[in-house]
Amino acid sequence: MEKIELIAPCHFGLEAVLKRELQDLGYEISCVEDGRITFYGDMAAIPRANIFLRTAERILLKVGSFRATTFEELFQGTKNIPWENYIPKDGKFWVTKASSIKSKLFSPSDIQSIMKKAMVERMKQSYHVEWFPEDQAEYPVRVFLYKDEVCVGIDTSGTSLHKRGYRQLTSKAPLTETLAAALIMLTPWNKSRILVDPFCGSGTFPIEAAMMAANIAPGMNRNFTAEAWTNLIPKKSWYEAVNEANDLIEDDIDVDIQGYDIDGAVVKSARENAREAGVDHLIHFQERPVGALNHPKKYGFLITNPPYGERLEDRENLPALYSQIGEAYKRLDSWSAYIITSYEDIEKYMGRKADKNRKIYNGMLKTYYYQFLGPKPPRREAGIN
């Protein structure tokens, strides 16, 4: 099959997690950059990547790259891309997003407008028509400019991949599903170890963990833009990817994943989201404050996204709240704690310095992923390392 290049954007700082996922799927990495990874595959890689990847934001089919410091160079570079190889005569095409960093061309709207004109000119010549109906399948184009290098891709995903389809109800400040999955994958947690989220909100951490434990592919219950690209990807490729995902599911496993929240209505929403994801039987949700957190099991994992106090009126409550988190953690014998927060006094209340600390942007907000590592379990507790 013909080799193509695909681009997988991800959260800044989490490229290594996505790289490992892509290699596990059997794909060769061609380039790792801040916030995105380019890899080789064939057209069947588009369904597989969309359905299986937990930490990618979307999958783009790379169609060209060139240097441009003027709008004329941008026009000619875009026009030189063989758009007729990808977009049929009746396809709908537009530049849905343009981003520019350290480049002479920086106006997104101008970049989008000029590229659309260049695409039309190229396709007029290729299809020998003066007008395009644009009433069939959608081919949304995304372009990145970095230091005057232009990278062009067609978005195969449509709605961002963090929208798995299970989260109908959300709490006040939810993590995206892709970020939650990546944060879990940065820990040594596996399905033989207990995982507790005492601020579970809409249930994202427990649900993503349960989907990993049961080997449920994150994209199984949603649609993708490229499903309509029958000129490029046979329908059979999508069916094969879904069948592959179905064959890998093991949801009759014995796991201990728990989610708590002080708000009963939020807990009810989390249960509903877990039901939508098909993992409600694998998670124990309960209305419970963090101050009541305790557990007899050893070597567990506390993975959570507590309140940050971004609103001024909430900030004064943070010392008391984080003090409760610290006290609860001290009661958890031999546990590890992984906490994402922008609250910088957390180490004071945890009573120790974090073993590791990683800066991560949660949306536009700079946060830190504090990692307090507990001891490793003895080897005789087989399979839990």
Side-chain angles (χ1 to χ4, degrees):
M1 283 192 177
E2 184 187 350
K3 184 186 275 191
I4 58 172
E5 268 194 294
L6 296 164
I7 304 166
C10 64
H11 274 85
F12 284 99
L14 298 174
E15 297 83 3
V17 183
L18 176 56
K19 180 182 177 184
R20 190 167 71 239
E21 275 202 282
L22 285 164
Q23 289 171 330
D24 287 346
L25 278 178
Y27 297 119
E28 178 189 349
I29 307 297
S30 63
C31 185
V32 178
E33 301 167 275
D34 287 345
R36 72 178 188 266
I37 293 181
T38 307
F39 63 102
Y40 295 112
D42 54 21
M43 283 299 176
I46 292 176
R48 290 189 77 234
N50 274 296
I51 288 169
F52 282 99
L53 291 176
R54 299 185 189 279
T55 62
E57 292 302 306
R58 60 185 66 250
I59 302 298
L60 309 177
L61 170 58
K62 184 177 177 181
V63 294
S65 59
F66 54 89
R67 184 170 177 80
T69 58
T70 67
F71 284 122
E72 177 60 23
E73 288 175 341
L74 179 68
F75 182 91
Q76 293 302 333
T78 304
K79 191 178 173 186
N80 286 337
I81 294 171
W83 294 104
E84 66 279 5
N85 291 352
Y86 307 103
I87 304 172
K89 189 160 58 175
D90 54 5
K92 182 178 180 181
F93 57 98
W94 74 104
V95 182
T96 183
K97 185 167 184 184
S99 63
S100 176
I101 299 171
K102 298 179 182 175
S103 298
K104 291 183 176 64
L105 304 179
F106 56 84
S107 165
S109 58
D110 288 337
I111 292 167
Q112 289 168 294
S113 174
I114 284 161
M115 288 185 69
K116 170 75 177 192
K117 287 175 185 170
M119 293 169 70
V120 169
E121 285 305 308
R122 170 77 187 213
M123 291 173 66
K124 273 184 182 180
Q125 293 172 8
S126 300
Y127 288 119
H128 308 291
V129 297
E130 289 296 313
W131 177 81
F132 296 96
E134 298 198 50
D135 57 0
Q136 294 301 311
E138 297 183 345
Y139 297 79
V141 173
R142 289 180 172 247
V143 57
F144 313 94
L145 282 77
Y146 180 66
K147 292 184 178 178
D148 302 319
E149 292 295 326
V150 184
C151 181
V152 188
I154 309 177
D155 181 10
T156 75
S157 304
T159 305
S160 172
L161 294 181
H162 80 263
K163 300 215 170 175
R164 315 285 206 218
Y166 67 72
R167 200 161 74 179
Q168 312 299 317
L169 305 156
T170 61
S171 54
K172 277 190 296 187
L175 286 179
T176 64
E177 293 87 330
T178 45
L179 178 54
L183 294 178
I184 294 169
M185 292 165 80
L186 280 172
T187 79
W189 175 81
N190 64 59
K191 62 187 177 185
S192 66
R193 307 272 290 273
I194 180 174
L195 184 153
V196 173
D197 179 0
F199 298 93
C200 73
S202 54
T204 312
F205 271 136
I207 293 169
E208 289 295 318
M211 290 177 72
M212 288 179 204
N215 219 4
I216 297 173
M220 286 187 67
N221 296 314
R222 52 158 288 169
N223 298 316
F224 305 97
T225 296
E227 287 181 68
W229 297 359
T230 51
N231 61 313
L232 296 176
I233 310 167
K235 284 284 185 188
K236 180 185 172 192
S237 295
W238 292 96
Y239 298 139
E240 286 174 346
V242 170
N243 288 339
E244 180 187 355
N246 270 317
D247 289 344
L248 292 170
I249 294 174
E250 300 177 57
D251 67 351
D252 58 348
I253 52 172
D254 184 22
V255 293
D256 195 344
I257 299 171
Q258 304 181 16
Y260 305 133
D261 202 282
I262 197 169
D263 186 334
V266 165
V267 172
K268 185 178 177 185
S269 297
R271 282 198 192 102
E272 186 57 41
N273 290 339
R275 195 172 298 116
E276 287 287 333
V279 293
D280 52 311
H281 61 298
L282 301 176
I283 307 170
H284 172 69
F285 287 110
Q286 187 178 337
E287 181 181 342
R288 181 193 284 192
V290 68
L293 178 59
N294 207 343
H295 207 284
K297 282 189 182 177
K298 298 176 71 168
Y299 307 112
F301 284 78
L302 188 149
I303 304 179
T304 194
N305 173 39
Y308 307 165
E310 290 311 304
R311 294 185 306 181
L312 198 60
E313 62 269 27
D314 294 339
R315 213 164 289 165
E316 61 186 31
N317 299 324
L318 291 186
L321 179 67
Y322 279 79
S323 179
Q324 288 183 329
I325 297 172
E327 289 300 318
Y329 181 52
K330 286 170 194 167
R331 293 193 297 269
L332 296 169
D333 185 22
S334 306
W335 280 46
S336 298
Y338 294 80
I339 302 173
I340 181 170
T341 180
S342 64
Y343 185 55
E344 295 181 356
D345 287 339
I346 180 173
E347 290 170 312
K348 179 171 99 176
Y349 293 106
M350 293 296 284
R352 59 179 273 197
K353 189 169 175 57
D355 297 281
K356 293 181 182 177
N357 191 359
R358 185 185 286 250
K359 181 167 69 174
I360 289 169
Y361 280 89
N362 182 9
M364 297 302 291
L365 181 66
K366 184 172 72 173
T367 62
Y368 293 90
Y369 193 38
Y370 292 90
Q371 302 170 53
F372 302 91
L373 308 182
K376 289 185 177 180
R379 283 189 178 277
R380 58 189 169 76
E381 297 190 32
I384 57 177
N385 249 336

